[in-house]
């Protein structure tokens, strides 16, 4: 595995791959790599000649009161995971390399960022779109891999690629979960033991919502209530939102249908967790 920290080194490595006619698969990450990232890397490995992964904790997508400073960072462990998953090229830029000055021109997401995560985290999805746009330009992959875990981010990236004619194919990968259902996340490391036990309610609640749909409920409020009841009742949590939305626009739906996304964000102690299921 080749490790590069600069765009120039990255470019010469990807140019060489391009000259060989090799298709590049790309997995952008913020590090603290876990089984969710590994699933993306394995899929990229299976579908491409050359696999590029990036590790960059992007300050543009963190709000002023968010966890940028304490976000878990472990370069040695990340490199071990990338090598074990057969990555060819690891791109590990520092902040000065990616943003030598704060970018003056940025992407702004429209209505898609006025809902759910966009409301709770102003500027977050703009910051994600801006860094992913730059990374896609730097790496030039045929395919780029994203997790369904961050369903609204995925919708934003898909829309960005369509709206702005990026030549990259976006591949969505299913959410990887712990045996008890909790979606694997770098932020799970923040949870104390009791919080970690409580956190299992997210997936149980979303599953209850999906079960209500499977049992024939078509009123979105009824599907959402089935999930909300578990979060608010026994667990005593106050979700930021529990919402059944269209997977492309993230707008509320009038009637529950297969393929829609039931999403939630819940604060467990100081840690904000997000998860979703597809009906
Ligand atoms: P992050 O490092 O958190 O920015 O995530 C990098 C990529 O991994 C994103 O496309 C995420 O959606 C994806 N990802 C994170 N957690 C999971 C998971 N549990 N299952 C599948 N993909 C995930």
């Amino acid at each position: 595995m080749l490790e590069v920290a600069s765009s120039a080194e990255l470019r010469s490595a990807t140019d060489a791959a391009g000259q060989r006619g090799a298709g590049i698969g790309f997995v952008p990450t913020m590090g603290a790599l876990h089984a969710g990232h590994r699933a993306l890397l394995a899929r990229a490995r299976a579908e491409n000649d050359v696999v590029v992964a990036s590790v960059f904790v992007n300050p543009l997508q963190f709000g002023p009161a968010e966890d940028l400073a304490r976000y878990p960072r472990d370069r040695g462990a990340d490199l071990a995971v990338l090598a074990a998953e057969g990555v060819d090229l690891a791109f590990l830029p520092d902040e000065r390399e990616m943003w030598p000055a704060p970018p003056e021109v940025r992407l702004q997401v429209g209505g898609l960022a006025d809902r759910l995560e966009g409301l709770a985290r102003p500027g977050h999805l703009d910051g994600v779109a801006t860094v992913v746009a730059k990374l896609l330009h730097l790496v030039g992959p045929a395919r780029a891999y994203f997790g369904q875990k961050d369903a609204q981010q995925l919708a934003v990236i898909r829309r960005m690629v369509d709206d702005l004619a990026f030549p990259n194919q976006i591949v969505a990968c299913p959410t990887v979960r712990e045996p008890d259902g909790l979606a694997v996340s770098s932020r799970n490391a923040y949870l104390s033991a009791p919080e970690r036990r409580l956190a299992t309610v997210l997936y149980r609640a979303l599953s209850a919502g999906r079960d209500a749909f499977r049992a024939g409920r078509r009123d979105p409020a009824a599907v959402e209530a089935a999930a909300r009841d578990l979060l608010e009742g026994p667990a005593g949590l106050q979700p930021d939102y529990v919402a059944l939305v269209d997977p492309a626009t993230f707008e509320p739906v009038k009637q529950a249908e297969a393929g829609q996304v039931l999403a939630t964000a819940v604060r467990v102690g100081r840690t904000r967790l997000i998860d979703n299921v597809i009906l």
Side-chain angles (χ1 to χ4, degrees):
M1 182 172 79
L2 188 62
E3 295 166 28
V4 299
S6 74
S7 321
E9 294 167 289
L10 173 69
R11 177 54 54 92
S12 57
T14 54
D15 279 355
Q19 275 157 19
R20 294 199 308 274
I24 295 175
F26 176 44
V27 181
T29 81
M30 297 206 301
L33 300 178
H34 52 59
H37 300 112
R38 289 217 303 273
L40 272 56
L41 294 164
R43 175 98 179 258
R45 181 68 283 167
E47 296 180 352
N48 299 276
D49 305 316
V50 170
V51 176
V52 179
S54 62
V55 176
F56 179 60
V57 182
N58 171 39
L60 292 189
Q61 70 191 68
F62 287 78
E66 291 184 359
D67 57 346
L68 175 62
R70 71 174 185 134
Y71 196 83
R73 291 167 172 88
D74 188 341
R75 167 156 307 202
D78 288 344
L79 287 171
V81 171
L82 297 179
E85 294 298 337
V87 167
D88 299 294
L89 183 56
F91 179 45
L92 311 147
D94 63 11
E95 199 179 322
R96 265 197 318 180
E97 177 67 28
M98 275 305 277
W99 307 121
E104 189 62 25
V105 176
R106 305 176 185 213
L107 289 185
Q108 187 177 17
V109 182
L112 194 41
D114 292 340
R115 294 180 271 280
L116 309 193
E117 283 308 284
L119 274 186
R121 305 182 65 189
H124 168 66
L125 291 165
D126 293 350
V128 169
T130 303
V131 79
V132 171
K134 183 159 184 175
L135 288 167
L136 289 174
H137 286 139
L138 289 171
V139 175
R143 282 171 285 273
Y145 296 80
F146 294 87
Q148 181 65 39
K149 157 87 168 37
D150 299 283
Q152 197 171 2
Q153 163 175 296
L154 174 65
V156 166
I157 302 296
R158 284 194 187 289
R159 194 58 202 258
M160 174 184 84
V161 162
D162 281 353
D163 284 348
L164 302 179
F166 280 60
N168 322 98
Q169 185 190 331
I170 302 304
V171 182
C173 301
T175 301
V176 175
R177 299 180 179 283
E178 301 285 0
D180 62 9
L182 178 66
V184 179
S185 165
S186 310
R187 291 190 167 96
N188 294 350
Y190 301 151
L191 300 170
S192 68
E195 287 169 350
R196 171 65 186 76
R197 283 193 292 278
L198 191 57
T200 60
V201 75
L202 269 81
Y203 183 58
R204 278 185 285 122
L206 294 171
S207 300
R210 186 167 54 186
D211 288 346
F213 171 73
R214 286 178 177 160
R217 307 304 293 270
R218 292 294 177 267
D219 176 7
V223 173
E224 291 165 359
R228 189 178 285 280
D229 284 353
L230 276 190
L231 292 167
E232 291 177 350
L237 294 167
Q238 302 238 303
D240 275 6
Y241 58 79
V242 178
L244 185 64
V245 296
D246 178 278
T249 63
F250 269 67
E251 286 193 56
V253 296
K254 295 201 173 65
Q255 162 143 342
E257 284 172 22
Q260 293 168 346
V261 171
L262 180 61
T264 191
V266 184
R267 205 168 282 281
V268 178
R270 287 175 64 202
T271 307
R272 189 170 178 279
L273 300 175
I274 63 170
D275 198 357
N276 67 85
V277 297
I278 302 176
L279 293 195

